[in-house]
Amino acid sequence: MPSPVTDADLAFTAELGQQLRVDSVRSSTSAGSGHPTSSMSAADLLAVLVSRHLRYDWDNPGNPGNDHLIFSKGHASPLLYSVFKAVGAVSDEELMDGYRRFGSRLEGHPTPVLPWVDVATGSLGQGLPDGVGVALAGKYLDELPYRVWVLCGDSEMAEGSMWEAFDKASYYKLANLVAILDINRLGQRGPTELGWDIEAYRRRVTAFGARALVIDGHDVAAIDEALAEAGNLSGEQPTVILARTIKGRGFSEVEDREDWHGKPLPAEMAERAVTELGGERHLVVRGPVPDEARPRRQVNGQAEVKLPAYDRGQRVATRKAYGDALAALGARSDVVALDGEVSNSTYAAEFAKAYPERYFEMFIAEQQLVAAAVGLQVRGYRPFASTFAAFFTRAYDFIRMAAISQASICLSGSHAGAEIGADGPSQMALEDLAMMRAVHGSTVLYPSDGTSAAALVAAMADLEGISYLRTTRGGYPVLYDADESFPVGGSKVLRSSGEDQVTLIGAGITLHHCLAAADQLAGDGISARVIDLYSVKPVDTATLSAAAEATGGRLVVAEDHHPEGGLGSAVLDALTGAGHAELSVAHLAVREMPGSGSTPELLDAAGIDAAHIAEAARRLLA
Amino acid sequence: MPSPVTDADLAFTAELGQQLRVDSVRSSTSAGSGHPTSSMSAADLLAVLVSRHLRYDWDNPGNPGNDHLIFSKGHASPLLYSVFKAVGAVSDEELMDGYRRFGSRLEGHPTPVLPWVDVATGSLGQGLPDGVGVALAGKYLDELPYRVWVLCGDSEMAEGSMWEAFDKASYYKLANLVAILDINRLGQRGPTELGWDIEAYRRRVTAFGARALVIDGHDVAAIDEALAEAGNLSGEQPTVILARTIKGRGFSEVEDREDWHGKPLPAEMAERAVTELGGERHLVVRGPVPDEARPRRQVNGQAEVKLPAYDRGQRVATRKAYGDALAALGARSDVVALDGEVSNSTYAAEFAKAYPERYFEMFIAEQQLVAAAVGLQVRGYRPFASTFAAFFTRAYDFIRMAAISQASICLSGSHAGAEIGADGPSQMALEDLAMMRAVHGSTVLYPSDGTSAAALVAAMADLEGISYLRTTRGGYPVLYDADESFPVGGSKVLRSSGEDQVTLIGAGITLHHCLAAADQLAGDGISARVIDLYSVKPVDTATLSAAAEATGGRLVVAEDHHPEGGLGSAVLDALTGAGHAELSVAHLAVREMPGSGSTPELLDAAGIDAAHIAEAARRLLA
């Protein structure tokens, strides 16, 4: 518990709040952009938090006992960086000369290029869901008494993802999560929906299972009391501090004014602001530090993993192989799994059965599913999150931001493409390869059989960045021996001879159809090379180039995906970069909107089955 | 108001409920897939709704006075189609032989291939947000007394988008919106988070501003009373009927059982179910029809539109041209606009000022933003929805589903790419072209100047399907005369001669850098063709092909986007399909994660500015 507050403490935090305001004004004016007024409303909240409640060893951001501080309202970066100055982590020079400048780590919105920042924010409604993931780790995995403090804006309460976060925080009884809501009533273009209707916020957050503490966000004594109560881990509810604040607080020319969002003060105005705020200060604050007596529970990422072994020819769905391999990976105690209420379809259930203590059911909340994974990896875990591939589209903003967060997370999307059959297009992922390939630094994998799927799941556990596995609904024959290796960035040539006239390229369901097409073509005396392009990004340019060379540039690429941005694009990008001679590419993809039907009917209708692949090959040779 | 209910009415609706159950069982068993138990829980709710409350002219689904019925829980399609049979819209044969079959309109999840279906559902948490859009049209635009009835599942209450919908429904006082929540306590893989804790649901929906009516969802008298009250438009709140129901209701072998989600009953079990439910029935029901006395307010999509005219060389941001053109398009009374609380950045504010009665502020809720657009177009309006391009990633699942809904909506994403500068990567759209190109039937436009931006906004207003405009933050010189035309699927050749040695292809900010690069190259005696690829999808294959032919296959493509799925892909896809001779393509794109900085610094760092374009061209010629 924090020590009883004294008048001197209160006077100091009030001064510190003014310093944070002054520095928010100075840094943004110096940069010529930024959000000073959104920082000023929350300055007192942060002053009290960092000086008296946040347990943080600023000399060692890696201290496992540190509390976590997340700015869900990432545009208040001037405030966050001013806090970093106040604790001595960043110099005044860096703040003034670096903020928002090219090459500086003090970016316009916080990112983990800074050692004290866990996750990138700036797309609103993400910091709190990320914080849920960190808090899950704290309560259920680390079993350490750190708290997760998340500064939220009132505008972002309009994002559904915030309510996914409150819902999961209460479901999982995350007393270690504290949302500090800076209710300054003004958004970018005008008043928020709820303005200063604090009661409306209170009703909503309590209905979602949180404990609400309502305060004047500029009364340092009230803030201190609320933070002390919020930081107490004895309860079973997350806490929301509903702080009524004033945007631009402390500078009368901008206080509570509509037209001052996201604008630095012009230099002469900034000067008046600093004067009104009492001038520059250079207070240094050192708040409480974590109790060193509680070391982190060790997790082991090195355990021996015995992957499932399938027999060649056995029919195994790649989604089932995902579940089997994930359960095997559970031998590594850093591996955790999450799913969006479809674990019996994605086969994440195999892991949940084997390691229930490391499985988190996120129900049908895909944004929170991905955000929780991001939060868990902040604490050093290796999360595997799964749902239908189509439904990862729901979380694209979170996936994009996870890349900016430098997060290493593994995503598995099942039920890819028209292959799924009768359920119809709403359940068919036909955009996921395009979406996932465009994520910075991502790895995109698309196995065709159980053996390669299992091997790739194991590989994902050690990849940096966002990795994505696309799995198929139906069971198809195992193509490889259990000891075959599948390096990321590789491919497999399943058929080849010195006489190859055309190359057939597929992955997932279409690889099986490429093989059948090669058989049909062989009956016509046409020798076809067949490539299993299981690694869509990075892609095996060398093997593709060699095949293009060997087969006169004649390639058939077949994919169960819309024509843009998927397998075909990966092949063209690779070969174009390689500076090739003439290519004749037949690109078979799902070009019309599918309906319901059987798998063979839908693959035929899309023109991506064996008959169409063979026919395309024949046309290239005609 | 519906007539007072009689015992005969109640007996009929109870019988009808049984028929809907029987037909849900029969159709799904016949199809070999589907969700009978999820249909059976809601059968009584639908029986009372269609027989006594839903005002619908089944012979004329286009009747403007019709109520709307949306199955947000789209997997209950057996129930919906059984309702269509009961009202005589679909025959028993079609239901039995068509459901989920190839080529049938009775798809696994409802889509608007059926005339009585407004929007595709099946990705949970979308039907209610779509319904908000329809209800907005009813209350504020059509001013007709139709109601929007949305059947929701309890599992989908975990989706944040549902809370975005409740929030907006109460903000906009949509008394014409009724959510019927089928609380059968079981999801796909087990119990829902809240089970039968009806009070928890009540607290949440009332906290979000809805009126809650709690009933036993199998008590037809209680249902009738609640629907009568809900359908009354006199209030100012949306209504949520919280119906406690039993999954699989009516067949003792599956009632309230965990392992029966999404499974048809085997034939012999189905036989027992039909027997227990009292056998097959073929009741035909005709409920109330809308009051013909209230014709639809006419909207005019043909008005003369005077687009803004800019002078060549004038610096105009394409986002500003979007706002100007949109305001001009407001002369058409079918055009409506929505924005996600950034209208002063996207310039949707120009429309809001001119036509406040046709502008809907959706605050920071991008999923609801897109869903509202989908709902508004159900009623024949032409919605333009805008936010930062980066934040449309938040709504990708809604955009994907909008395509399945056959919706015609116009999206405008501002602040594309690293060009935005100091705000940093969270605000930079670097995946949006990939994402939007992969949407079925989409149009993707990326103007470089004010004139083309304005012309393309006007063109979007008449396009079918999902159209997307990518706009840029900064102001750059107008390149075209105001009377220039910009057909969708076209491009502009800005520099060309008979001596061209290399082609430079850009759009948006990079086009300006292509022009500057061409000037630099001219200084070296190198003649470069420059193409403005403002139409990214469809793309102008003929012009690209001609340029490739004319310049020896040497192309430099520069884009302010990650390398996957954007401009470069569009060019390669076009030229590969065209069966070209050797291509030497230099593809300049944003390959590293940008930070903050000035626009020139960031474009230089990404290697997509004039100097890099010129250098790439020189290398191709070396």
Side-chain angles (χ1 to χ4, degrees):
Chain A
M1 290 296 293
S3 52
V5 69
T6 65
D7 286 350
D9 292 334
L10 295 177
F12 177 83
T13 52
E15 272 298 290
L16 181 60
Q18 294 295 77
Q19 170 173 318
L20 297 177
R21 289 188 173 92
V22 167
D23 287 345
S24 295
V25 167
R26 291 169 65 228
S27 58
S28 51
T29 291
S30 161
S33 69
H35 297 74
T37 58
S38 305
S39 297
M40 293 159 89
S41 57
D44 297 316
L45 296 164
L46 266 289
V48 180
L49 179 65
V50 296
S51 57
R52 297 195 19 91
H53 300 276
L54 183 79
R55 295 188 201 123
Y56 202 95
D57 179 356
W58 292 100
D59 296 326
N60 180 15
N63 184 327
N66 280 345
D67 279 357
H68 290 262
L69 173 61
I70 297 173
F71 266 43
S72 196
K73 53 175 291 187
H75 55 288
S77 57
L79 175 61
L80 182 63
Y81 302 157
S82 297
V83 165
F84 293 161
K85 172 193 144 176
V87 299
V90 157
S91 70
D92 193 69
E93 292 66 38
E94 182 175 3
L95 183 60
M96 291 307 126
D97 302 340
Y99 182 50
R100 288 179 164 252
R101 307 312 199 282
F102 182 72
S104 164
R105 59 182 185 168
L106 302 183
E107 297 189 9
H109 294 75
T111 74
V113 299
L114 289 163
W116 319 282
V117 171
D118 293 323
V119 292
T121 52
S123 178
L124 289 170
Q126 299 210 14
L128 187 67
D130 290 347
V132 167
V134 179
L136 282 171
K139 181 179 171 87
Y140 293 100
L141 302 172
D142 293 334
E143 296 178 28
L144 284 174
Y146 58 77
R147 287 83 50 92
V148 184
W149 308 88
V150 185
L151 179 68
C152 304
D154 48 356
S155 276
E156 67 181 323
M157 297 292 269
E159 288 283 15
S161 57
M162 295 297 276
W163 302 97
E164 295 183 14
F166 288 122
D167 180 45
K168 289 303 166 300
S170 65
Y171 181 82
Y172 281 107
K173 306 185 192 308
L174 299 179
N176 53 351
L177 182 71
V178 184
I180 304 172
L181 184 52
D182 175 21
I183 306 175
N184 65 25
R185 91 164 185 90
L186 290 174
Q188 171 173 324
R189 44 125 288 294
T192 60
E193 280 171 285
L194 296 176
W196 274 324
D197 186 351
I198 311 289
E199 270 308 295
Y201 286 112
R202 198 191 54 71
R203 281 193 299 273
R204 292 186 184 192
V205 301
T206 56
F208 271 73
R211 172 175 64 158
L213 305 175
V214 176
I215 58 170
D216 172 349
H218 303 304
D219 176 340
V220 290
I223 296 169
D224 186 68
E225 195 177 332
L227 291 176
E229 191 172 343
N232 184 328
L233 295 177
S234 63
E236 294 220 313
Q237 286 180 292
T239 301
V240 182
I241 296 177
L242 298 169
R244 186 188 195 278
T245 61
I246 293 170
K247 198 160 176 169
R249 167 78 171 198
F251 181 38
S252 49
E253 295 181 40
V254 299
E255 270 191 359
D256 196 31
R257 287 269 296 275
E258 281 199 25
D259 43 358
W260 278 101
H261 179 93
K263 292 179 187 164
L265 306 182
E268 73 287 358
M269 225 174 142
E271 214 169 291
R272 291 197 299 277
V274 172
T275 302
E276 185 175 337
L277 288 162
E280 277 186 39
R281 296 162 182 82
H282 300 284
L283 301 174
V284 174
V285 61
R286 286 269 146 161
V289 293
D291 180 0
E292 296 291 343
R294 293 282 299 268
R296 169 164 197 181
R297 205 157 76 164
Q298 289 306 305
V299 295
N300 181 2
Q302 301 302 319
E304 196 187 336
V305 171
K306 192 168 160 40
L307 289 178
Y310 307 110
D311 294 330
R312 277 173 90 133
Q314 186 184 350
R315 295 179 88 86
V316 177
T318 50
R319 62 183 170 126
K320 177 63 164 63
Y322 169 72
D324 292 345
L326 185 60
L329 273 175
R332 283 175 52 162
S333 58
D334 63 333
V335 169
V336 299
L338 314 91
D339 191 272
E341 221 273 316
V342 289
S343 58
N344 52 341
S345 290
T346 61
Y347 283 98
E350 303 295 320
F351 183 94
K353 272 180 263 172
Y355 300 97
E357 73 284 3
R358 278 187 270 135
Y359 174 79
F360 298 98
E361 177 56 61
M362 301 313 287
F363 297 92
I364 307 182
E366 294 81 6
Q367 298 183 114
Q368 181 58 67
L369 172 71
V370 172
V374 170
L376 286 161
Q377 66 85 43
V378 164
R379 294 294 312 182
Y381 295 95
R382 170 59 61 151
F384 282 77
S386 49
T387 183
F388 279 35
F391 303 142
F392 273 120
T393 56
R394 196 66 154 259
Y396 194 30
D397 196 18
F398 286 75
I399 297 169
R400 171 183 84 86
M401 289 295 295
I404 304 175
S405 291
Q406 305 177 6
S408 290
I409 59 173
C410 305
L411 307 178
S412 176
S414 67
H415 294 71
E419 189 272 348
I420 66 163
D423 272 335
S426 63
Q427 320 293 302
M428 294 173 182
L430 292 165
E431 309 82 1
D432 57 318
L433 293 176
M435 166 178 106
M436 294 306 308
R437 284 182 69 239
V439 170
H440 178 70
S442 64
T443 300
V444 179
L445 305 168
Y446 185 14
S448 302
D449 86 330
T451 300
S452 55
L456 293 170
V457 172
M460 288 168 82
D462 294 311
L463 291 177
E464 297 274 305
I466 315 299
S467 57
Y468 175 64
L469 184 81
R470 185 185 218 223
T471 69
T472 303
R473 179 175 181 272
Y476 297 94
V478 169
L479 301 171
Y480 301 102
D481 289 330
D483 60 356
E484 186 88 28
S485 72
F486 297 86
V488 170
S491 67
K492 294 287 172 188
V493 179
L494 282 169
R495 301 279 171 86
S496 76
S497 76
E499 316 298 310
D500 293 340
Q501 296 162 272
V502 61
T503 302
L504 313 181
I505 302 166
I509 179 65
T510 60
L511 177 67
H512 295 273
H513 285 267
C514 286
L515 290 168
D519 290 343
Q520 293 179 19
L521 292 167
D524 301 345
I526 299 171
S527 179
R529 186 166 296 194
V530 177
I531 297 178
D532 173 359
L533 206 67
Y534 65 81
S535 182
V536 182
K537 179 186 175 188
V539 73
D540 185 354
T541 302
T543 298
L544 291 170
S545 288
E549 289 297 326
T551 61
R554 286 180 291 275
L555 311 175
V556 180
V557 187
E559 59 181 317
D560 195 357
H561 186 274
H562 287 322
E564 299 86 4
L567 218 58
S569 274
V571 169
L572 291 183
D573 286 352
L575 293 179
T576 308
H580 258 279
E582 185 167 357
L583 292 178
S584 302
V585 180
H587 182 197
L588 311 185
V590 182
R591 290 173 193 274
E592 300 301 325
M593 182 64 75
S596 291
S598 69
T599 299
E601 286 166 339
L602 292 170
L603 298 182
D604 173 45
I608 58 172
D609 64 357
H612 286 86
I613 294 167
E615 177 56 29
R618 285 187 204 99
R619 276 200 306 271
L620 290 179
L621 289 162
Chain B
M1 290 296 293
S3 52
V5 69
T6 66
D7 287 349
D9 292 334
L10 294 178
F12 177 84
T13 53
E15 272 298 292
L16 181 61
Q18 293 296 76
Q19 170 173 320
L20 298 176
R21 289 188 174 94
V22 167
D23 288 345
S24 296
V25 167
R26 291 170 65 225
S27 57
S28 51
T29 292
S30 160
S33 70
H35 298 73
T37 58
S38 304
S39 296
M40 292 158 89
S41 58
D44 297 316
L45 296 163
L46 266 289
V48 181
L49 179 65
V50 296
S51 56
R52 298 198 16 94
H53 301 276
L54 183 80
R55 295 189 200 122
Y56 202 95
D57 179 355
W58 293 100
D59 297 326
N60 180 15
N63 183 327
N66 281 345
D67 280 357
H68 290 261
L69 173 61
I70 296 173
F71 266 42
S72 196
K73 53 176 288 186
H75 56 288
S77 57
L79 175 61
L80 182 63
Y81 302 157
S82 296
V83 164
F84 293 162
K85 172 193 144 177
V87 298
V90 157
S91 71
D92 193 69
E93 292 66 38
E94 183 175 4
L95 182 61
M96 293 305 128
D97 302 342
Y99 181 50
R100 287 179 165 251
R101 307 311 200 282
F102 183 73
S104 164
R105 60 183 184 167
L106 302 182
E107 295 188 10
H109 293 75
T111 75
V113 298
L114 289 163
W116 319 282
V117 171
D118 292 323
V119 291
T121 52
S123 179
L124 289 169
Q126 299 211 15
L128 187 67
D130 290 347
V132 167
V134 179
L136 282 172
K139 181 178 172 86
Y140 293 99
L141 301 172
D142 292 334
E143 296 177 27
L144 283 174
Y146 57 77
R147 287 86 49 92
V148 184
W149 308 87
V150 185
L151 180 68
C152 304
D154 46 357
S155 276
E156 67 180 324
M157 298 291 269
E159 288 282 14
S161 57
M162 296 297 277
W163 302 97
E164 294 183 13
F166 287 121
D167 180 47
K168 290 302 166 300
S170 65
Y171 182 82
Y172 281 107
K173 305 185 194 304
L174 300 179
N176 53 351
L177 182 71
V178 185
I180 304 172
L181 185 52
D182 175 21
I183 307 175
N184 65 26
R185 90 164 187 92
L186 290 174
Q188 171 174 324
R189 43 124 290 292
T192 59
E193 279 173 286
L194 296 175
W196 273 325
D197 186 351
I198 311 289
E199 270 308 296
Y201 286 112
R202 198 191 53 72
R203 282 194 297 273
R204 292 185 183 191
V205 301
T206 55
F208 271 73
R211 171 173 65 157
L213 305 175
V214 176
I215 59 169
D216 171 350
H218 303 304
D219 175 340
V220 291
I223 297 169
D224 187 69
E225 196 177 331
L227 292 175
E229 193 173 342
N232 184 328
L233 294 177
S234 63
E236 293 219 315
Q237 287 179 291
T239 302
V240 182
I241 295 177
L242 298 169
R244 185 187 194 279
T245 61
I246 293 170
K247 197 158 175 170
R249 166 78 171 195
F251 181 37
S252 49
E253 295 180 40
V254 300
E255 271 192 357
D256 196 32
R257 286 270 297 273
E258 281 199 24
D259 43 357
W260 279 102
H261 180 92
K263 292 179 187 164
L265 305 183
E268 74 287 0
M269 228 175 138
E271 214 168 291
R272 292 197 299 276
V274 172
T275 302
E276 186 175 334
L277 289 162
E280 279 187 39
R281 296 162 182 81
H282 298 284
L283 301 173
V284 174
V285 60
R286 286 269 147 163
V289 293
D291 180 0
E292 296 291 343
R294 295 282 297 271
R296 169 162 197 183
R297 204 157 76 164
Q298 289 305 305
V299 295
N300 181 2
Q302 301 303 319
E304 196 186 337
V305 171
K306 193 169 157 38
L307 288 179
Y310 307 111
D311 294 331
R312 276 173 92 132
Q314 185 184 350
R315 293 179 88 87
V316 177
T318 50
R319 61 182 171 127
K320 176 63 164 62
Y322 169 72
D324 292 345
L326 185 61
L329 272 176
R332 283 175 51 164
S333 57
D334 63 334
V335 169
V336 300
L338 314 91
D339 192 88
E341 221 274 314
V342 289
S343 59
N344 51 342
S345 289
T346 61
Y347 284 97
E350 303 295 320
F351 183 94
K353 273 180 262 173
Y355 301 97
E357 72 285 3
R358 276 186 271 135
Y359 175 78
F360 298 98
E361 178 56 59
M362 303 313 287
F363 297 93
I364 306 183
E366 294 82 6
Q367 299 182 112
Q368 181 59 67
L369 172 70
V370 172
V374 170
L376 287 161
Q377 65 86 44
V378 164
R379 294 294 311 182
Y381 296 94
R382 170 59 62 150
F384 282 76
S386 49
T387 183
F388 279 36
F391 303 141
F392 274 121
T393 57
R394 197 64 154 259
Y396 194 29
D397 196 19
F398 286 76
I399 297 168
R400 173 185 82 87
M401 289 295 295
I404 304 176
S405 291
Q406 305 178 4
S408 291
I409 58 174
C410 305
L411 307 178
S412 176
S414 67
H415 294 70
E419 189 273 348
I420 66 162
D423 272 335
S426 64
Q427 320 293 302
M428 295 172 180
L430 290 165
E431 309 82 359
D432 58 319
L433 294 175
M435 167 178 103
M436 294 306 307
R437 282 182 70 239
V439 170
H440 178 70
S442 64
T443 301
V444 179
L445 305 168
Y446 185 15
S448 302
D449 87 329
T451 301
S452 55
L456 292 170
V457 172
M460 287 168 82
D462 294 311
L463 290 177
E464 297 274 305
I466 315 300
S467 57
Y468 174 65
L469 184 81
R470 185 186 216 222
T471 69
T472 302
R473 178 175 182 272
Y476 297 95
V478 170
L479 301 170
Y480 301 102
D481 289 331
D483 60 357
E484 186 86 28
S485 72
F486 297 86
V488 170
S491 67
K492 293 287 173 189
V493 179
L494 281 168
R495 302 278 172 85
S496 76
S497 77
E499 316 297 310
D500 293 340
Q501 296 162 272
V502 61
T503 302
L504 313 181
I505 302 167
I509 179 64
T510 60
L511 178 67
H512 294 274
H513 284 268
C514 287
L515 291 167
D519 291 343
Q520 293 179 19
L521 292 167
D524 301 344
I526 298 171
S527 178
R529 185 166 296 194
V530 177
I531 297 179
D532 173 358
L533 207 66
Y534 64 80
S535 182
V536 182
K537 179 184 174 189
V539 73
D540 185 354
T541 301
T543 298
L544 291 170
S545 287
E549 288 298 325
T551 61
R554 286 180 291 274
L555 311 174
V556 181
V557 186
E559 60 181 317
D560 195 356
H561 186 275
H562 286 322
E564 300 86 4
L567 218 57
S569 274
V571 170
L572 290 184
D573 286 351
L575 293 179
T576 307
H580 256 281
E582 186 167 357
L583 291 177
S584 301
V585 179
H587 182 197
L588 311 184
V590 183
R591 291 173 193 273
E592 300 301 325
M593 183 64 76
S596 290
S598 70
T599 298
E601 286 166 339
L602 293 171
L603 299 182
D604 172 45
I608 58 173
D609 64 357
H612 286 87
I613 294 167
E615 178 56 29
R618 284 187 204 100
R619 276 200 306 270
L620 290 180
L621 288 161

